[in-house]
Amino acid sequence: MAVTPTPKPTPNKPQDVSTASAGLNRPNPALAALDQLPSLLSPIGVAYSGGADSTALLLAAAERWPGLVHAIHIHHGLQAAADDFVRVCETTCAGLKVPLQVVYVDAAHASGESPEDAARRARYKALAGAATQLGLAGVLLGQHADDQVETLLLALSRGAGLPGLSAMAAQFERGGMVFYRPLLQVPAASLRHWLLQQQHPFVDDPTNTDERYTRNRIRARLLPALEEVFPQFRATFARSAQHAAQAQAVLLEVAREDVARTGAPPVIKVLQGLSRARQANVLRHWLLDVHQATPSTAQLEQLLAQVAACTTRGHRIHLKVATGHVTRAGDCLHYAA
C-alpha cells in the first residue's frame, strides 16, 4: 500500500433483499478451503485487513474453530484510510467475539527500495511477532486464486525461473511462525459475491485500484481479458504453478545431494564433474542457502564459464554476484559480501 489522497476506504454496497436472500443458504467459499489445512491447527490467527478476502477467511475460521481464532490487523500507517480500516475490523471482531490485535508498524521504504516489498516485509515480521506472542499454531493469509495468477504473471514478465513460477506457496515459515494460504484455489469474485449476498461488511482498499502499480494493472486489464479467452485460467494457471513448485522441490533435493559432494564452499574440481545444469543448480543453492545471495542469469553464466575455464592453479576468479563477490581460494570457490 502507498500514501493515497483517498480519505476513506470504500464500504461494500448492500444488495436488495431479494438478491441477498437468494444466497442465504450458500456456504462461505472459504470454509471448504479450510479442510485442506492440517488437523488440530489451533489456536489459529487470521491476518485480517478488513477487505473482502480476509473477511471471508475470518468468518470461515471463526465458524470452524469457535473460540480459538485471533484476528491480527497490521496498521501500516501509509494512507489516510488506515484508521477507518481499524474501526471496521473492531466492529466485525466484536460481533464475532473474536479477539483482535492491532499492530502498528513503520513500513516506510528506503531510497531505491520497492514500497510494496518494504510493506510486505514489515507486515510478515509484525504478524509473526504477534502470533508468537499470542502462542498461535499458525497464521492464515487471505491470498486467493486471482492473487496467485497475478504473482505468476509478474514472475513471467521478469523472466523468472522455477522458484518464481511456483508463485505463492500454500504453506511457508517466516520469523519462526508457520503461515498458510488456504484460499489459493478460490476466485476473488466468489468471496466478494458471498459477502455481498450475506450482507457482511467489508471495505475496499483504495490503493487496489491505483494502476501506477503493476499488480493493479494486471488485475484491471489482463485478468478480464484472460477470463474472456480462457474462462478456466485460474485453475489451469494454479496447476502450472503447482507443477513448477514440484519441479523446484526436486531440484532442491538434487542440490542438497550435490552440495554434500562438492562441499560448501564448493571444491572446483568436484563441481566440474557435474553437468552444467547441475553446476548451476548447486551454485544457486549454495549462494542462496549459505549467503542469502541470488545471482542474476548473466552473473551465473559468467560464473559457470569461469568454473569451466579453471584448469590451472593460477586461474583467478573474481566475479560480482548479488551484493558480493565470488572468488577462488585454493581449490574452492568462496563468497564474500
Side-chain angles (χ1 to χ4, degrees):
M1 292 187 291
V3 176
T4 173
T6 307
K8 291 182 180 298
T10 305
N12 63 294
K13 297 177 181 178
Q15 296 190 332
D16 61 54
V17 175
S18 60
T19 303
S21 62
L24 285 177
N25 296 321
R26 181 174 298 176
N28 184 345
L31 192 59
L34 297 184
D35 293 337
Q36 309 303 315
L37 294 174
S39 58
L40 303 177
L41 187 64
S42 61
I44 189 69
V46 175
Y48 179 41
S49 69
D53 45 5
S54 65
T55 298
L57 182 59
L58 178 65
L59 291 166
E63 182 177 343
R64 177 60 52 86
W65 299 290
L68 296 173
V69 175
H70 293 257
I72 306 172
H73 178 83
I74 306 302
H75 188 299
H76 295 85
L78 294 176
Q79 56 173 313
D83 291 336
D84 296 300
F85 274 75
V86 172
R87 285 189 281 273
V88 171
C89 291
E90 288 172 340
T91 300
T92 298
C93 288
L96 292 172
K97 295 182 171 55
V98 168
L100 170 68
Q101 180 162 342
V102 179
V103 183
Y104 293 81
V105 301
D106 179 7
H109 65 285
S111 177
E113 184 181 23
S114 162
E116 297 97 321
D117 288 344
R120 182 163 44 251
R121 282 194 294 273
R123 180 164 61 251
Y124 281 125
K125 182 179 179 181
L127 285 169
T132 300
Q133 189 176 49
L134 291 167
L136 304 182
V139 177
L140 306 182
L141 302 173
Q143 283 106 345
H144 43 66
D146 294 61
D147 292 321
Q148 186 75 312
V149 169
E150 292 162 13
T151 301
L152 179 57
L153 289 172
L154 281 169
L156 284 167
S157 73
R158 294 165 181 162
L162 285 176
L165 299 180
S166 301
M168 292 185 290
Q171 178 180 333
F172 64 99
E173 186 174 330
R174 191 167 298 180
M177 180 57 54
V178 182
F179 290 85
Y180 301 89
R181 295 184 175 110
L183 305 183
L184 290 181
Q185 305 291 325
V186 182
S190 67
L191 298 169
R192 187 182 185 89
H193 184 60
W194 181 82
L195 289 168
L196 289 170
Q197 286 185 324
Q198 305 300 315
Q199 299 191 8
H200 287 298
F202 65 89
V203 291
D204 288 321
D205 186 337
T207 65
N208 286 341
T209 56
D210 186 346
E211 292 194 21
R212 288 177 297 175
Y213 300 104
T214 305
R215 184 178 284 273
N216 290 346
R217 290 198 299 275
I218 290 173
R219 184 179 306 135
R221 305 182 192 183
L222 288 186
L223 296 197
L226 285 169
E227 181 91 57
E228 183 178 354
V229 180
F230 305 111
Q232 303 302 317
F233 76 96
R234 291 176 181 84
T236 55
F237 280 31
R239 282 204 302 274
S240 291
Q242 288 171 349
H243 294 326
Q246 289 171 351
Q248 177 58 26
V250 173
L251 288 180
L252 184 58
E253 288 181 17
V254 172
R256 286 170 177 162
E257 292 173 1
D258 287 344
V259 165
R261 284 199 218 169
T262 64
V267 176
I268 295 171
K269 188 173 183 179
V270 179
L271 194 61
Q272 290 172 332
L274 301 175
S275 69
R276 187 179 177 90
R278 286 179 73 158
Q279 287 179 37
N281 189 43
V282 73
L283 287 171
R284 279 197 205 94
H285 179 74
W286 165 60
L287 288 166
L288 181 60
D289 191 55
V290 179
H291 301 288
Q292 292 73 56
T294 302
S296 68
T297 300
Q299 289 171 343
L300 187 58
E301 285 298 317
Q302 288 180 327
L303 181 54
L304 290 169
Q306 288 298 310
V307 168
C310 192
T311 56
T312 64
R313 286 184 177 275
H315 187 89
R316 182 173 176 267
I317 297 176
H318 190 275
L319 292 173
K320 180 169 177 57
V321 173
T323 58
H325 290 84
V326 173
T327 59
R328 178 182 180 180
D331 295 333
C332 299
L333 295 177
H334 282 266
Y335 183 81

